[in-house]
Structures are given as C-alpha cells and as structure tokens.
Amino acid sequence: SIIREYYRQKKENESVPVAGFNGTYQYDVDVVVIFSASSSDALAHTTTKKTTTNPIISASTDETNKRFDFGCVANPVILSPTDKYPKWQCYYYGNSGSWNCGQPCFLPTGSSGLAESDDGITNWIKIDGIEEEKAILTPGKVGEWDSIHTGVADVIRVNDELHMYYFGGSEEEIKMGPGSIAGFRMRIGRAKSTDNGRTWVKDDTYVLDYDENEGFFASWPRIIVPQENNKEEPWKMFYHAFNGKKWKVYSATSSDMGDTWQRTGLVITGNEDDEDAFDYQGIGTRDIIHWKDGSLLMIYEGVNKAGTHSLGAACYSNKWEKLNNGKPILEPGKGILGKWTTQVIGTPYIVPLDDGGIRLYHCGKEDSNSKMSIGVIE
C-alpha cells in the first residue's frame, strides 16, 4: 500500500510521507530549529521561553544565478563553534528541481551546502561552494555509486580535518510497485575537508555498502565518536534501511577512525505489534548523542500506518528503551510545533547545550503548497 501511494502521489506531484524522505517530487523545504527540555523525562513536556516563526535557512530564490538549493533545503547537520572556528555551521542538502543526468527527484537530496551563523539561530549566511551551482558536495560521474544524488548525513571534527559522512544513489533501476526507479540504491560514503568545510575530497569508494538482508539501501548515517575518557572504544555508526515494508535502524562500528566499518546488526524498530503506534511503519532518520551517566539519547522519526511523521525518543544504557511510554514527544501540527508542521516533521539533529538542555534542529512542512518555517522553543 505504501508503494501504491508513492506512485499515486508522484503522479499528482504531491509529497510522499516516507521515513527519512520528508516529501518528494518538486517541493520546497526549509530547515527548522527547536529547543527542547533538559532531561529525558521532560522531552514530552517542554515549556516555551522563546519562539520565532521565520525560516533560518530557505531555498534560494535567485532564478538568474540558480543555486543547487533552488528547489529545497533539508536535513540540517550542525557544528557548534570552537575557539578556532567561532561560527555555527549548518550543513544541509537540497536540489534545484531535478537530480543529476536529468533524473526526476523523489527526495530532497541532490547536492550539499553550508551556511554559517553567529548564534546558531538567526542570520544564516550561505557559503558559496566551488562545485556546480555553488554546492560544496555534488554527485559523482555517470557510472559511479553516487552518480544520481547525494546528501550530507553527518560531519565530525577529526583533529584538523572535517569528515563528512554522506549517502548517495546510482543509476541502477530498482523495481518498485508497478515500475522501477533510479536513485533508490543508496550507499554510505565519506569525504574530508581541510579548510573548515569549504572544499571536500571524497574517498575513492563508499565506506558501507547496502545489505540485501536489511533492505534496498543503507542511508542517513550518524556517527558517534568515543568520549574523552573512553577513546579506546570503537566509533559507532547508526543508519537506516527500508525493505519495502518497514524502516529499521542498524549499526556498524569502526576501530580505525572511520576508514573501515563492520556491521553490528539491528538497533531499533517501530512498534510492529500495535497498528495504532506512531512508529508502526518504522523508524527512519534519527540523531544520537552522549547523554546522562554514560547513556545515549536518540531522537528519531517514526511513521505511522497512515504515513504521518512524528518524533520519538529512546535512551540506551544496557539496551535501547523508548521514552514517554513509547509515544511521540513531538507531533506534526500539534502543541509547541504549531500548524506549520502539519504535513511532516523529520531529520532531527541534537545539539547539547551548556545548561544541560538540548537544541533540536529538524525539517518540517505545512502542506503541499507551503514552505517550512522555524519554531524555536527553549
């Protein structure tokens, strides 16, 4: 039924609610930031100190000098300031209405860009990249594994370098419903920058292939590096796959700082026993941070039977346990999120704050005729 709905909506040029996709063919997306509460238990009970309804990053509008993100922007990846680099950075992906080689785009992916801000909330300035249409990372050449579209998924600092983990899709056609689509066979790659994100050099090939036992692709990786007092631990990667019916989160580890990765299996799924659960269809995009007392906190995008996206939370000590009794902590169009998220919310990115709270960046959209806007709750 999900695949039938995909083709129906694609034909009608509407957005398709798919975990990690946040809509499809020909639409505008803006980046959203939200402030959440300071403890796991309070994630579902935030109080508002400060709000704004203005986009922090929107699709470009100059039709004369069209940028890669003229059609949409999505999936914020945030780097906080350091002593050496005082600006907040937001890496994101977007497209100008189609993918490489003229392929129609059914995801907001395509190429990736960079914007910077003094406070992480206001006055984001897009940085012109040297790649096509002023992007900082673009698809590969025809025949390469990432030739149709790419998307930034995470960026981490490694000594004096930045390492970007991204995903990409090739021209390979995959049978889907009544036809086939290109760009759905996605793998995970890595690129490095030595100039604070202005230019990037890709590795020779992907760092993690898809596994047919998981699904059609491996995508949207997030990287967890060990804390200072546990540097001997392996790096961890969390990504998701789709098997044609459900989205599920998997993991891999690396003992050589990301050069090679070994799969470690299934991490978390939606509530498949309850058809009314907000994550019955599965869990897609997610972010994970080091949290209280050595635990990990995950905020994830769940999709229900009707295709509605909401955000849930889980915590890991000895095993992953869903918070808020397995119910969503944020629902589209409700409560603190407001009407502007009625159609979809997703791609959460967590920034821990000095006061023990968290700042949550994500994407959202009101309807098929609107652009996303920003909510700020602190």
Side-chain angles (χ1 to χ4, degrees):
S1 60
I2 296 174
I3 303 305
R4 287 197 299 270
E5 181 70 2
Y6 163 78
Y7 279 102
R8 183 190 72 78
Q9 294 194 32
K10 182 178 179 183
K11 182 178 180 180
E12 296 176 3
N13 196 28
E14 297 177 356
S15 291
V16 181
V18 179
F21 295 174
N22 302 307
T24 65
Y25 195 76
Q26 297 280 359
Y27 70 102
D28 296 318
V29 181
D30 299 323
V31 177
V32 178
V33 57
I34 287 183
F35 291 95
S36 189
S38 59
S39 72
S40 300
D41 293 338
L43 285 170
H45 306 287
T46 57
T47 57
T48 302
K49 293 182 181 179
K50 179 171 56 179
T51 62
T52 178
T53 58
N54 298 318
I56 58 170
I57 300 176
S58 301
S60 297
T61 58
D62 188 346
E63 296 192 35
T64 304
N65 299 300
K66 187 177 291 188
R67 294 174 57 94
F68 78 94
D69 58 358
F70 183 81
C72 61
V73 298
N75 198 44
V77 174
I78 306 298
L79 289 189
S80 302
T82 66
D83 291 340
K84 187 174 181 180
Y85 302 108
K87 298 281 189 180
W88 287 78
Q89 291 190 323
C90 178
Y91 295 88
Y92 63 94
Y93 54 62
N95 61 64
S96 58
S98 64
W99 280 345
N100 204 18
C101 303
Q103 289 279 355
C105 52
F106 57 87
L107 303 175
T109 52
S111 298
S112 297
L114 168 64
E116 293 184 330
S117 166
D118 290 331
D119 61 8
I121 304 172
T122 60
N123 300 320
W124 287 92
I125 305 299
K126 293 180 179 179
I127 306 299
D128 288 345
I130 65 171
E131 305 295 338
E132 186 177 358
E133 294 184 322
K134 301 180 181 179
I136 61 170
L137 191 84
T138 55
K141 298 177 181 178
V142 173
E144 296 182 346
W145 68 271
D146 60 351
S147 61
I148 295 297
H149 69 108
T150 59
V152 58
D154 211 351
V155 179
I156 58 174
R157 295 194 184 277
V158 181
N159 300 320
D160 292 329
E161 295 181 338
L162 292 178
H163 290 192
M164 176 193 293
Y165 287 82
Y166 70 100
F167 57 96
S170 69
E171 307 109 277
E172 179 183 354
E173 296 273 348
I174 296 178
K175 183 174 176 55
M176 191 70 61
S180 61
I181 55 176
F184 207 55
R185 180 72 80 206
M186 292 179 279
R187 300 169 171 90
I188 295 170
R190 181 181 67 172
K192 297 179 181 179
S193 173
T194 58
D195 56 7
N196 200 33
R198 269 57 180 173
T199 60
W200 295 84
V201 177
K202 296 179 181 178
D203 287 359
D204 291 336
T205 188
Y206 45 80
V207 297
L208 192 73
D209 200 355
Y210 80 97
D211 185 331
E212 63 182 10
N213 293 314
E214 296 173 352
F216 295 109
F217 56 73
S219 63
W220 281 271
R222 299 292 202 199
I223 309 300
I224 298 291
V225 298
Q227 293 179 297
E228 287 294 324
N229 58 345
N230 291 307
K231 284 192 172 182
E232 298 304 315
E233 290 186 356
W235 288 20
K236 297 177 181 178
M237 174 193 291
F238 296 89
Y239 62 97
H240 76 266
F242 176 63
N243 63 7
K245 296 181 179 179
K246 302 283 187 178
W247 292 270
K248 299 179 181 181
V249 178
Y250 296 87
S251 64
T253 59
S254 173
S255 299
D256 52 15
M257 300 179 68
D259 289 337
T260 59
W261 294 87
Q262 294 75 42
R263 280 181 160 83
T264 50
L266 182 66
V267 172
I268 193 170
T269 68
N271 186 350
E272 299 178 1
D273 297 326
D274 182 0
E275 291 192 359
D276 295 325
F278 84 96
D279 55 3
Y280 174 73
Q281 289 296 154
I283 295 175
T285 64
R286 80 241 66 81
D287 197 23
I288 300 173
I289 61 169
H290 292 288
W291 195 233
K292 315 287 185 180
D293 300 321
S295 64
L296 297 175
L297 173 67
M298 174 193 296
I299 296 182
Y300 64 88
E301 180 181 348
V303 182
N304 70 9
K305 189 176 181 179
T308 302
H309 294 227
S310 301
L311 298 185
C315 191
Y316 179 88
S317 291
N318 298 312
K319 64 179 181 178
W320 284 103
E321 296 184 0
K322 294 180 181 179
L323 303 176
N324 199 34
N325 296 317
K327 298 183 183 300
I329 60 170
L330 294 170
E331 297 182 76
K334 295 183 179 180
I336 59 176
L337 287 181
K339 183 180 177 182
W340 50 270
T341 64
T342 298
Q343 187 179 65
V344 65
I345 56 174
T347 63
Y349 194 93
I350 311 167
V351 176
L353 300 177
D354 292 338
D355 64 2
I358 61 173
R359 182 182 295 179
L360 179 65
Y361 294 77
H362 74 93
C363 300
K365 194 168 186 285
E366 183 174 350
D367 55 43
S368 59
N369 297 315
S370 67
K371 297 182 178 181
M372 293 178 119
S373 57
I374 289 179
V376 179
I377 300 148
E378 197 172 41

